[in-house]
Every structure is written in C-alpha cells, then in structure tokens.
Amino acid sequence: MSRLLPLFAVVVLLLGLGAVPAQASPIPQGFHWGVSLSGFQSEGFAPDSNWRRYVEQGTSAIKHPYRDAVDFRHRYASDIELARQLGVNTFRFGVEWARVQPRPGQWDETELAYYDDVVAKVRAAGMTPMITLTHFVHPGWVVDQGGWVNPRTVTDWLVYARAIATRYRGLGALWITFNEPTQYRHHERQNGGVGVFEAGTMMTNLVAAHRAGFDVIHEVDPGSRVSSNIAYLPPPLQGFADADFLNRVGDKLDFVGIDYYYGLSLDNLTAIHGASGEFWKIAPQPDGIYYALKEYQRQYPRLPLYIVENGMPTDNGARADGYSRAAHLRDHLYWVQRAMAEGVQVIGYNYWSLTDNYEWGDYRARFGLYTVDVLTDPSLTRRPTDAVAAYRETIAAGGVPADYVPVRRPAWCVFADLRTCLTRPPVR
C-alpha cells in the first residue's frame, strides 16, 4: 500500500485542476475596460506606406480594395461616442507614422492636429487613451530606405516615438510600441517587404527599437506604462515566438500585453484555418485565455497582464456554428475572471474591435462590436451586434456573474496544459 502512495500523489498533482474554484472573480475597481482599433485598418485616406503599396501592388494577401476603410479619419467623434456609450474607460487607437511624418524630417501639422483632437475627445469622454505607435505600418520613405532591415529605421522610429510621446505626455496614456512584432514580420515576409534571410535582422531591429523606445517614453512621460502586445499562439508555437521578441524585452515592459484569439487542443485543431486567412472557420476556445494568462503570470510574476485584444471573426457577419458575439464575449470574460480568482493580476481587457475594419487584405472577416459593410454600404453605417448590449451590461455589472455558465464548454486535452487530457476544469 505504501508503494502506491507516491503514485497516488502524482495522479492527484496531475489532476490538480479539480481543485480550481469554479467561479468567476468580480472585476475590481480601476480595471481597464476597453475597445481597440488601428490606424490603417480603420482610418481610410491612407498616405504612402508599406501597406498602401501592398494594396496598390495587389500582393497575394490582398482580396479586396482598401477604399477608405470605415473612415475613422472623419467619423472619429461619433465612433468615440459609441465607445463612451458602452461604458468603457479605455480607448486604444493607433497613430500612423506615415500620416504624421510623410517625408523624413517633415511633420504634417494637419494630421497631428487630427490626433490631438482624437486624444482630446477620448479624454473628454472619460476614457484613458491607449496609443499604439506602430501597427504593422511604416511610411513609404522608410520602405525606400530598406524598412526594418536598415538599422537607420531604428533611429528614425525613435525620433517619431519621442515626438508623439512628448506631444501626449502627462495625460495618463498607456503606450504600445509595436503591435504583435512577430506578426508584423510575418506580414512583411508575406507581402515581400522582407526577404527570408532578412527576417532575423528585422526582428533584431524591432527589439532594439522597443528597448530604446521604452526608455524614451519614460524619459518624456514619467509614470506612464509602456508595453508591446504579443499575439498568443497555441503551444508549442508560442515558445518560438516569445524567444524572438518577448523574452528579449522582458525587462523593458510595464505590463505584458496579450492578444488572445485562438487555442489548440486535441478536440479542436481548427486553428489551422488561420494559415489560409479563413479565421471564421476557427472554432473559438474561450478557456484558452485562462491558460494564456496563467502561463504569462508564471513567466513574469512581477508584471501585471493586460488583454490588449480579444474578439471573434465572422464570415461577413455570420458564423456557421451559430456562436454569437455576445456569448463569445461573456465566455472569454468568464475565464479571465477565473484566472483573476486564482491570483492572476489582470489589469485590463480590450475588445477587438469597436467596428469592422480592413483585415489586412479583405473585409470578409468581421470583428466589430459594430458591423460596417464597406463593400456594399456607401454610408458606412455602424450597426450594433448583440455584443454591444452584452458588453455594456457586463461592464456595468463589474464582470459576468459568479454563477455564469459558459456557452462553449472547456476544451479537452489543451496543448497549453496537458493535465486537461485527464480532466477538464469545472465550470460549476
């Protein structure tokens, strides 16, 4: 009998998920409830940039013409009002380097004034600005000098970062240096902006820019919080991605920014559709956000975590599985709150995105709380999905209730935690 005790102890350890409290912790005061969007994807009227050139060249990633996206450039006041009505207290947007600095050493005062007004309206609505400095896009003149393969681009980007941080210092802004650096590199490779043997150099320069940019922003905007959001990939891919960027900047982060969309488990291998850009065919795995948060808290125990992006694509507004945007939102927040109940320090959650936008080559995959039919509706009317009311109610209530039962059941044999091959985490 005594020989069986160690084996029993190992089994109990492996089945340790059974001890997880099956309740969602309420969201504390001071939590960042937010929405996200980016410059090129939403603004329209794109200046010369790498992505405008990709669209004009018709690279393999381009399925639809860009047009003027959802025209956030001229409708930002009403879009910010939509966010205010949701009850969010944080508004993430991107400043487009190509828009404010169309040529080396030349600043466009009209476009800087536009961003000044965006920031002013965000703050007047009672929201904290979360400002992304680079979201996959850089000016055409940077392309002409070799893009991120040229170390000079690091110097030029730091001049830009200093100028924007100085302009909006003292406002309590949250700063994102680079949106999803590994995906940034992927887009450049896919569209021909970076050669296969140049990819490593691009990442080295992005790392250098973030590290120096972190110090620059803190120099000009003391007390601000700075990070770079990483795209969470199902294990074991995440380990390789983190080695490329996150592990090289871990000492230059004020919080770990996480973009969570998809998980991977033995009963859900649909993430493979991401390779073809058919994101709406991927079966969402809400409990995966719990494992992502737990893993990054283990890796960075001294840093808080922030879900900078989370959302669900539809196929032109529909999903074959019938899973609603409202259920997707609540299910993910349930698992965020479960992680918080276990002591994971989560300080914010942004929904991606406020409106539909240009999904890096097409308008078919729609992520918006408000849907916009760019291809057939010249008025670009913002139409609320069922998640608008769901998000408003959830924010007002301080999260999903403790007795909430997710619509989507936990996955089996999750790659991020193989203990789930033996038992799923309880939900009630």
Side-chain angles (χ1 to χ4, degrees):
M1 182 68 177
S2 60
R3 292 181 179 179
L4 294 177
L5 286 176
L7 177 60
F8 177 76
V10 170
V11 172
V12 169
L13 178 63
L14 289 172
L15 296 176
L17 289 169
V20 175
Q23 280 196 329
S25 173
I27 300 291
Q29 292 293 318
F31 188 82
H32 287 275
W33 293 103
V35 289
S36 289
L37 51 82
S38 82
F40 182 84
Q41 288 179 276
S42 298
E43 288 179 338
F45 303 90
D48 183 32
S49 70
N50 58 328
W51 263 95
R52 178 171 169 173
R53 294 185 186 189
Y54 296 148
V55 171
E56 291 172 346
Q57 293 162 6
T59 66
S60 61
I62 307 304
K63 305 298 189 298
H64 294 136
Y66 178 69
R67 299 190 177 184
D68 283 313
V70 295
D71 190 19
F72 180 80
R73 173 64 182 83
H74 299 101
R75 303 173 193 234
Y76 63 90
S78 55
D79 282 350
I80 291 169
E81 174 60 19
L82 290 177
R84 187 196 67 79
Q85 292 173 11
L86 284 169
V88 299
N89 57 29
T90 304
F91 190 93
R92 181 190 176 208
F93 67 97
V95 172
E96 285 293 281
W97 185 10
R99 191 178 293 282
V100 299
Q101 197 178 23
R103 281 167 288 280
Q106 179 180 328
W107 299 93
D108 189 318
E109 293 300 328
T110 298
E111 298 303 336
L112 286 167
Y114 150 61
Y115 287 115
D116 290 348
D117 201 43
V118 170
V119 171
K121 283 181 166 52
V122 166
R123 297 187 71 240
M127 295 183 284
T128 296
M130 175 181 272
I131 303 174
T132 305
L133 292 170
T134 296
H135 198 126
F136 300 164
V137 180
H138 48 264
W141 58 267
V142 171
V143 176
D144 293 338
Q145 71 182 25
W148 283 101
V149 176
N150 186 345
R152 178 178 173 181
T153 299
V154 176
T155 302
D156 291 334
W157 185 88
L158 289 170
V159 171
Y160 155 68
R162 179 180 291 275
I164 300 303
T166 300
R167 198 171 188 96
Y168 303 125
R169 63 187 173 188
L171 304 181
L174 298 165
W175 295 95
I176 298 293
T177 55
F178 295 97
N179 178 80
E180 299 182 355
T182 56
Q183 289 300 106
Y184 190 7
R185 179 180 60 183
H186 168 72
H187 281 301
E188 290 301 286
R189 283 279 297 112
Q190 182 183 36
N191 289 288
V194 170
V196 63
F197 298 111
E198 299 172 323
T201 300
M202 176 178 176
M203 188 56 66
T204 295
N205 287 332
L206 289 177
V207 167
H210 171 86
R211 293 185 63 83
F214 179 90
D215 293 337
V216 164
I217 295 170
H218 278 291
E219 175 193 335
V220 301
D221 191 15
S224 63
R225 288 186 285 186
V226 184
S227 189
S228 170
N229 54 315
I230 54 96
Y232 179 78
L233 302 171
L237 297 177
Q238 192 57 45
F240 297 113
D242 286 348
D244 265 356
F245 184 82
L246 188 64
N247 297 348
R248 299 163 72 181
V249 302
D251 60 327
K252 299 288 186 178
L253 300 170
D254 292 315
F255 60 90
V256 179
I258 303 166
D259 294 358
Y260 178 82
Y261 290 96
Y262 314 116
L264 192 66
S265 60
L266 283 187
D267 61 349
N268 181 14
L269 302 175
T270 59
I272 189 65
H273 292 294
S276 62
E278 297 175 298
F279 303 111
W280 54 87
K281 291 184 178 181
I282 302 176
Q285 196 167 303
D287 56 311
I289 202 169
Y290 164 88
Y291 299 110
L293 289 167
K294 294 278 285 184
E295 175 58 28
Y296 282 111
Q297 192 71 92
R298 281 193 290 268
Q299 289 187 42
Y300 298 95
R302 298 179 183 177
L303 292 178
L305 313 181
Y306 194 127
I307 299 296
V308 176
E309 292 182 21
N310 173 238
M312 180 182 74
T314 62
D315 184 8
N316 277 326
R319 283 193 64 90
D321 59 9
Y323 194 41
S324 73
R325 193 173 295 283
H328 179 277
L329 171 67
R330 292 189 179 108
D331 283 1
H332 281 79
L333 284 170
Y334 167 85
W335 287 104
V336 170
Q337 292 171 232
R338 280 283 297 274
M340 295 174 73
E342 296 179 52
V344 177
Q345 187 184 358
V346 186
I347 61 171
Y349 171 92
N350 294 344
Y351 194 86
W352 180 275
S353 54
L354 177 63
T355 67
D356 291 338
N357 52 40
Y358 192 64
E359 188 51 36
W360 306 111
D362 74 75
Y363 289 106
R364 184 173 178 179
R366 301 196 191 183
F367 287 83
L369 291 166
Y370 286 85
T371 193
V372 183
D373 194 339
V374 174
L375 297 178
T376 64
D377 178 13
S379 71
L380 299 178
T381 300
R382 276 69 165 146
R383 295 182 174 87
T385 66
D386 62 341
V388 168
Y391 200 19
R392 182 185 298 120
E393 293 164 3
T394 302
I395 292 170
V400 299
D403 60 354
Y404 178 79
V405 178
V407 173
R408 186 64 58 97
R409 67 180 300 187
W412 172 72
C413 212
V414 178
F415 285 27
D417 192 334
L418 294 179
R419 291 178 297 173
T420 55
C421 298
L422 302 175
T423 181
R424 302 175 195 246
V427 295
R428 284 299 298 156

